[in-house]
Amino acid sequence: MILVEALLKAGYLEKWDYRPTLSGTPQGGIVSPLLANIYMDRLDKFVEQTLIPRYTGGEIRRRNKDYIRLIAKIQKLRKAGEDETSLKPLKEEARRIGHGDQYDPNYRRLRYIRYADDFLLGFTGPKEEAEEIKVQLERFLRDHLKLELSPEKTLITHAGTEKARFLGYDIGVNHVLAEGKSMPGRIQLRLPIQKLEAKIAKYMRDGKPIHRTELRNGSDFSIVEKYGSEFRGVVQYYAFAKNRYWFHHLQWVMGLSLLKTLAHKHKSTVRKMARRLRAEVYHQGGMRKCLEVKLERHGKEPLIARFGGIRLTTDPLVHIEDRLADQDHTPPPRAELITRLLADTCELCGSREEIQIHHVRKLADLNVKGRTERPSWMLTMAALRRKTLVVCQRCHVAIHAGKPTRRPTEAVK
């Protein structure tokens, strides 16, 4: 209880400013799902012990009459000597229809799943009974848990023609034949196209991938790592989505944006950047192309930042090795500052001499009232959204003296 109390009183950071928690739990706090599970346990029991038994009935669906007629027709034609090729359309039609009657009045099924305060019920039955279930849920939450259902999010959706949104996935029923096999009534998880389009739009302008100006002052390692982590975050979260071909488009857009960002930084070309960073890595049974940057370290394994190099299709039989980390293995850096220090390069002028760290108390200090123009080091820290800046000694002295820092060309000279 002491730990829970401390987590509730820990507060949170917003735009690098500390805000105390005056009531409730902070959004995104690690204690929120724990407390939600404790509080919502009564809802789980109500659904599992009251609603599910009440709205579940029938062992199996009755046979579909159209399906029975098609099967009888196929058997009759087969006995008459028809070859299997000519029977293929009839068999596909039978698989599409399915042997169970979707409108069996005596068959009911209710399924329930919850994650924290978000839950989903799957119901096989008429819409009128689905409305009854919703009313009973509203009443229970109001009377026993003092909670209200969100009208915008609490919807009754026909799974065959629409999609229900749950934890970022679109969930529905597929009735389309796939690779000659029937999938009637099979539940599918799909990637919301609107979400992916919004993600792609961050890297596009006028229909073309663009460079990200705010990253131009970062190291090559940090830029590639940022793109790689953003790409993996989408692909791995939607690992079981069916329409994953969209990921190839996302990878192309982000990859070209990454190369343009590096080319803009080095005043080079996309082709040269691609040739310099091109690599291959083994992942889930095959070699995958990727873009890669390595930071060599004396006496240790290099640090690697990688974009791509992961499988974009789901392998349900892949073997995942779950083991404790090797104590002798050097773990990846726990903060980006470590990788920036290991780059041993001034983030203002590019010098590699006497590298130091300049820091400010908070990012808000960079926005000085009345200042019309800010020096380059302030602009760089604001773009990186970091309270630290890796600089050489000469630039560090210039910052504290209020003098202009060196430009990259001056440092090279």
Side-chain angles (χ1 to χ4, degrees):
M1 292 304 296
I2 296 176
L3 178 60
V4 172
E5 182 181 2
L7 289 169
L8 289 175
K9 296 180 178 180
Y12 61 97
L13 288 176
E14 184 175 352
K15 295 182 178 180
W16 297 96
D17 289 333
Y18 173 77
R19 307 285 180 89
T21 303
L22 301 178
S23 64
T25 61
Q27 185 174 4
I30 58 175
V31 74
S32 299
L34 171 64
L35 296 178
N37 284 338
I38 295 173
Y39 194 70
M40 301 292 282
D41 179 66
R42 283 184 287 175
L43 174 65
D44 298 342
K45 291 179 178 177
F46 171 70
V47 174
E48 293 169 357
Q49 299 175 5
T50 303
L51 292 183
I52 290 181
R54 183 180 300 169
Y55 291 95
T56 299
E59 294 186 4
I60 60 173
R61 284 190 175 97
R62 68 185 182 189
R63 287 299 183 94
N64 189 316
K65 294 180 179 180
D66 293 333
Y67 176 84
I68 294 174
R69 281 194 290 266
L70 270 175
I71 294 299
K73 185 177 180 180
I74 291 172
Q75 292 175 346
K76 183 178 179 179
L77 291 174
R78 187 175 288 152
K79 289 180 179 179
E82 289 286 341
D83 59 277
E84 294 298 321
T85 304
S86 62
L87 296 178
K88 187 175 180 180
L90 293 175
K91 291 192 288 186
E92 289 182 352
E93 178 67 14
R95 284 195 291 265
R96 187 189 64 80
I97 293 175
H99 61 80
D101 185 357
Q102 302 295 321
Y103 302 99
D104 184 354
N106 299 317
Y107 184 85
R108 297 286 186 277
R109 285 295 184 273
L110 181 62
R111 297 289 184 263
Y112 167 75
I113 186 171
R114 180 182 62 81
Y115 182 85
D117 62 342
D118 198 1
F119 60 89
L120 179 72
L121 289 102
F123 179 58
T124 300
K127 185 177 180 179
E128 293 75 16
E129 293 185 16
E131 294 282 1
E132 293 177 9
I133 295 172
K134 180 180 177 181
V135 170
Q136 293 180 61
L137 282 171
E138 288 177 331
R139 187 182 301 122
F140 179 86
L141 289 170
R142 182 184 64 249
D143 297 344
H144 296 272
L145 298 179
K146 310 303 178 185
L147 297 175
E148 293 183 1
L149 291 176
S150 170
E152 298 81 13
K153 297 182 179 180
T154 310
L155 306 174
I156 295 178
T157 305
H158 189 282
T161 57
E162 301 172 288
K163 300 292 185 294
R165 183 67 56 84
F166 182 64
L167 302 181
Y169 275 90
D170 276 350
I171 302 177
V173 175
N174 184 34
H175 294 288
V176 180
L177 291 174
E179 299 180 359
K181 296 183 179 180
S182 176
M183 300 175 65
R186 182 73 60 85
I187 300 296
Q188 282 195 342
L189 305 180
R190 301 187 71 85
L191 169 66
I193 304 304
Q194 301 88 349
K195 282 184 172 290
L196 193 60
E197 288 177 341
K199 184 74 175 177
I200 292 174
K202 292 173 54 179
Y203 310 94
M204 302 278 285
R205 184 182 299 154
D206 299 328
K208 297 180 181 179
I210 59 169
H211 68 273
R212 295 171 67 178
T213 308
E214 72 274 12
L215 300 179
R216 67 184 183 277
N217 293 313
S219 66
D220 291 1
F221 186 95
S222 65
I223 293 173
V224 174
E225 177 62 27
K226 184 170 183 63
Y227 272 87
S229 61
E230 290 175 354
F231 180 66
R232 289 192 300 273
V234 176
V235 173
Q236 293 176 353
Y237 185 82
Y238 291 105
F240 298 99
K242 292 297 181 181
N243 47 345
R244 293 171 59 86
Y245 55 83
W246 276 88
F247 291 151
H248 293 282
H249 182 55
L250 176 65
Q251 185 175 28
W252 175 80
V253 170
M254 291 187 65
L256 189 52
S257 175
L258 167 59
L259 293 173
K260 285 187 175 183
T261 301
L262 292 172
H264 177 75
K265 174 189 172 185
H266 293 288
K267 294 180 172 56
S268 182
T269 65
V270 169
R271 188 182 298 272
K272 289 181 180 179
M273 289 294 103
R275 189 180 303 118
R276 175 180 145 195
L277 273 63
R278 186 181 295 124
E280 284 191 347
V281 62
Y282 181 84
H283 182 257
Q284 291 190 7
M287 300 300 295
R288 319 287 176 188
K289 294 181 179 180
C290 65
L291 300 175
E292 184 178 276
V293 172
K294 289 185 179 181
L295 283 181
E296 300 293 340
R297 301 184 295 174
H298 180 70
K300 298 180 180 179
E301 294 182 2
L303 295 173
I304 300 176
R306 185 177 292 132
F307 172 80
I310 58 178
R311 181 176 178 148
L312 299 183
T313 55
T314 306
D315 182 5
L317 302 179
V318 66
H319 173 70
I320 299 176
E321 184 178 359
D322 189 8
R323 60 182 177 82
L324 294 175
D326 189 351
Q327 298 297 324
D328 297 330
H329 178 69
T330 304
R334 304 180 80 181
E336 186 189 0
L337 177 60
I338 298 176
T339 63
R340 292 161 60 202
L341 275 172
L342 289 170
D344 200 32
T345 303
C346 177
E347 294 177 337
L348 293 177
C349 69
S351 173
R352 302 178 68 89
E353 301 175 357
E354 299 182 84
I355 298 302
Q356 303 172 2
I357 292 291
H358 175 70
H359 62 88
V360 296
R361 188 173 61 89
K362 56 182 180 179
L363 283 177
D365 294 340
L366 302 177
N367 299 317
V368 181
K369 292 184 178 180
R371 183 189 290 270
T372 56
E373 294 185 3
R374 290 185 292 175
S376 60
W377 67 269
M378 281 190 177
L379 295 174
T380 301
M381 294 187 80
L384 292 174
R385 295 195 60 78
R386 297 289 184 269
K387 295 188 290 184
T388 58
L389 194 64
V390 179
V391 294
C392 63
Q393 183 181 23
R394 184 169 175 178
C395 287
H396 204 181
V397 172
I399 290 172
H400 285 284
K403 297 180 179 180
T405 56
R406 293 187 298 178
R407 291 178 295 178
T409 53
E410 295 174 341
V412 172
K413 291 178 181 178

